[in-house]
Amino acid sequence: MVTPRASGIAFAIVLFAAPLARAQTDRDPPDPVAEADPEDAVASPEAAARSVLEDEPEDVVPEWMTPTPGGLTAEQAARLAAETAPAVRGAEAQRTAARAQADVAASAFAPQVTITGSYNRINEVDLPPFEFGGMAFDNPFPQILDLWALRGEIQIPVSDYFLTVWPSYEGADGFARAAGHQVEVQRQDAAFRAREAFYNHVRALAGRWVAEQAVESLDATLRDVESLQEAGVGSRADVAQVRAQRASARAMVVQAQGQVRVTERLLRRLLHLPRGARIEVGEDLFGVEVGAPPSEDALLEQAMAERSEVLAVRTLVEARESMVRARLGSVFPHVAIIGQIETSSPNQRIIPQTTDFFTTWVVGAAVSWSPNDVAVGVHRIREAEAQVSEAREDLEQLEDGLAIEVAQAVAAHQAAAESIAAAREGLEAADTALSDRRAMLTAGMATTTEVMQAQLEHTRARLELLNAYVDLHVARAQIDRIAGRAAPDASE
């Protein structure tokens, strides 16, 4: 797909091709019959000069680049994208789920309490008689067929608090905090993509403008060449060539208009605006100080300290280290304090049994250990340690990637600043050249083609200045993204 900047360059190439092809034809010796009438020879250049002077605007910035009051700015686009991006909402849902898991882990700090109520009906059985001294007596103990019980048990996992519960909670809380950083990652990414789409839309507008300028210039050239042909100074070949170039320029206008529609739809989609919403540029791209970019070392240091991706991975490393400790604690014996209380009828500890309710209690300690848990725990420890290593490798790769991004962003800023300086000088030179060619055309010392070439060079210089400023804003957006400042503060 052709980018707006590439389209603008293609337009400039085509615009220069037509005047250069015609330059030799216009400089050929004039027809002797035409020279016999001096008034006709002078009249055509003067008419061409008037056409050129009337058609060429003097403003460096085209009218469409003037900020529209209430129009869209890159900052507003970034804020709106960060607020409405589905990826942000998805990350928020993941953070909520991770926080719920942390709350589940926190609940393990509470002693395990179990309350059980039961009722059982048993069948009556024939009790054997009592025999004493050769005599048999009926069993004197009554059969209680209705069994009622209310039991309460509390278990305090003393050793697990230190060996597994606390590390598990730290790990779960770390995962939740990492998920929170991921929300900010998505906000920053959505904001940067919106800023980039905004400036690319401006670039596409610039490409459309230069294409339309080309058509207007070729229209004026065609009128001039037709006038020269009627005066006997030009030829039909010149007219046909200009018409062909104009048709090609019109095709490029259609292409540029399509590019504007694409960038506008992309921007509208990123901002989740209504389908028919009109986007007006409300930002003054030229009212900024070029300045110097931050140093690579300072920018990388800031990114490693503040960028959300870095914070997320660092938090993930800490969380996984906590999970290693939790799994390590699972291989040790478990020590717990246990307390039970029971109110039942009949109560097994009351002899002889009666239908009355009695309350009894017991307090003790238990130590448990399973070799099976150790075997499983060793493998789970190795798995957790591998995950820690993986997260540390991710952090190192992230730092390498950030170093490359920093170098690219700083270089892009420097290149844009140099391009702005060069484009300003080029525009001044194009202004001077166009003014001189106009004066020479009026005096009959230059051809229409030379004036049109100066016009197109002036248009190209203005486009280069526009592109240079857009490049500067994109480079600054990249620097802000690296430093974690692409999206406005969520608390604002």
Side-chain angles (χ1 to χ4, degrees):
M1 187 175 74
V2 180
T3 62
R5 182 173 179 83
S7 300
I9 295 174
F11 299 146
I13 293 175
V14 172
L15 298 184
F16 284 117
L20 292 175
R22 297 191 306 272
Q24 186 61 40
T25 303
D26 286 341
R27 287 195 178 93
D28 287 342
D31 188 87
V33 177
E35 282 187 348
D37 189 351
E39 294 181 0
D40 290 339
V42 176
S44 293
E46 289 177 351
R50 285 195 299 272
S51 175
V52 171
L53 294 173
E54 290 173 358
D55 290 342
E56 179 64 21
E58 292 292 339
D59 297 334
V60 174
V61 182
E63 182 179 355
W64 60 267
M65 281 298 298
T66 303
T68 302
L72 183 68
T73 65
E75 184 73 11
Q76 293 171 345
R79 183 182 299 278
L80 189 57
E83 292 174 352
T84 60
V88 175
R89 296 196 296 272
E92 289 175 344
Q94 292 177 354
R95 177 181 60 183
T96 301
R99 178 49 60 187
Q101 290 294 326
D103 293 339
V104 170
S107 65
F109 285 102
Q112 183 176 356
V113 177
T114 304
I115 299 176
T116 305
S118 65
Y119 164 76
N120 294 284
R121 173 74 179 183
I122 61 177
N123 66 301
E124 185 175 1
V125 296
D126 293 331
L127 298 178
F130 277 96
E131 294 182 0
F132 182 76
M135 300 180 62
F137 299 93
D138 291 336
N139 195 310
F141 298 106
Q143 297 189 48
I144 302 176
L145 305 181
D146 296 311
L147 309 180
W148 301 86
L150 179 64
R151 299 181 182 89
E153 180 177 344
I154 183 171
Q155 183 172 344
I156 304 175
V158 179
S159 62
D160 287 355
Y161 282 152
F162 304 98
L163 297 177
T164 59
V165 175
W166 178 254
S168 296
Y169 170 74
E170 285 185 327
D173 182 69
F175 291 139
R177 287 185 289 112
H181 290 308
Q182 280 299 123
V183 174
E184 186 61 21
V185 168
Q186 295 299 331
R187 290 186 68 255
Q188 295 292 332
D189 184 62
F192 171 71
R193 288 189 290 113
R195 290 180 188 271
E196 191 175 37
F198 174 83
Y199 292 125
N200 282 335
H201 180 57
V202 173
R203 199 192 301 276
L205 292 173
R208 184 182 66 181
W209 171 73
V210 76
E212 293 170 347
Q213 291 289 306
V215 172
E216 292 179 6
S217 297
L218 288 170
D219 284 340
T221 301
L222 181 59
R223 290 193 298 269
D224 296 339
V225 173
E226 289 175 342
S227 298
L228 292 174
Q229 182 189 15
E230 292 174 359
V233 180
S235 66
R236 288 184 300 173
D238 294 335
V239 176
Q241 189 176 22
V242 174
R243 284 178 176 172
Q245 293 294 340
R246 184 183 63 173
S248 178
R250 285 178 174 175
M252 288 192 173
V253 168
V254 175
Q255 181 183 2
Q257 289 172 343
Q259 188 66 31
V260 169
R261 287 195 298 272
V262 170
T263 56
E264 186 176 29
R265 288 176 182 175
L266 174 61
L267 182 58
R268 190 184 296 118
R269 192 69 177 178
L270 290 175
L271 306 186
H272 300 89
L273 298 175
R275 184 179 181 85
R278 184 177 177 84
I279 297 178
E280 300 285 352
V281 178
E283 181 172 339
D284 181 10
L285 298 183
F286 300 91
V288 296
E289 294 292 335
V290 176
S295 68
E296 292 186 21
D297 292 339
L299 183 57
L300 181 58
E301 182 179 355
Q302 184 179 11
M304 293 302 296
E306 300 179 12
R307 180 134 170 181
S308 299
E309 288 95 327
V310 177
L311 299 178
V313 176
R314 284 178 178 167
T315 306
L316 187 62
V317 170
E318 296 174 357
R320 289 183 173 177
E321 288 175 343
S322 297
M323 296 309 298
V324 171
R325 294 195 299 272
R327 293 182 179 182
L328 180 62
S330 65
V331 304
F332 293 101
H334 303 281
V335 178
I337 296 176
I338 300 173
Q340 295 177 345
I341 186 170
E342 176 181 334
T343 299
S344 59
S345 170
N347 191 300
Q348 300 299 320
R349 295 173 59 186
I350 303 300
I351 299 176
Q353 293 185 345
T354 67
T355 57
D356 296 333
F357 283 89
F358 289 90
T359 299
T360 57
W361 57 267
V362 60
V363 176
V367 179
S368 61
W369 179 80
S370 170
N372 302 85
D373 291 343
V374 174
V376 174
V378 169
H379 297 297
R380 296 184 66 189
I381 291 170
R382 288 209 311 240
E383 178 188 11
E385 289 175 342
Q387 292 175 344
V388 172
S389 299
E390 180 183 2
R392 287 174 177 168
E393 291 297 331
D394 290 341
L395 183 59
E396 186 174 347
Q397 291 181 8
L398 180 58
E399 184 174 5
D400 292 340
L402 283 176
I404 296 174
E405 286 186 32
V406 166
Q408 291 175 338
V410 171
H413 190 286
Q414 293 171 340
E418 292 296 329
S419 297
I420 289 174
R424 285 173 175 170
E425 293 182 4
L427 185 57
E428 291 177 2
D431 284 336
T432 302
L434 180 58
S435 178
D436 291 347
R437 291 297 180 185
R438 285 171 173 172
M440 293 172 66
L441 178 62
T442 304
M445 299 173 61
T447 65
T448 303
T449 298
E450 291 172 334
V451 176
M452 293 307 303
Q453 184 176 359
Q455 268 188 320
L456 296 176
E457 179 66 25
H458 188 263
T459 299
R460 186 197 66 80
R462 292 163 71 178
L463 178 62
E464 287 299 320
L465 184 59
L466 290 173
N467 271 323
Y469 268 100
V470 171
D471 289 340
L472 176 67
H473 285 281
V474 171
R476 286 185 170 180
Q478 291 172 339
I479 290 175
D480 288 341
R481 175 70 181 96
I482 291 171
R485 300 191 303 264
D489 190 348
S491 62
E492 293 181 358

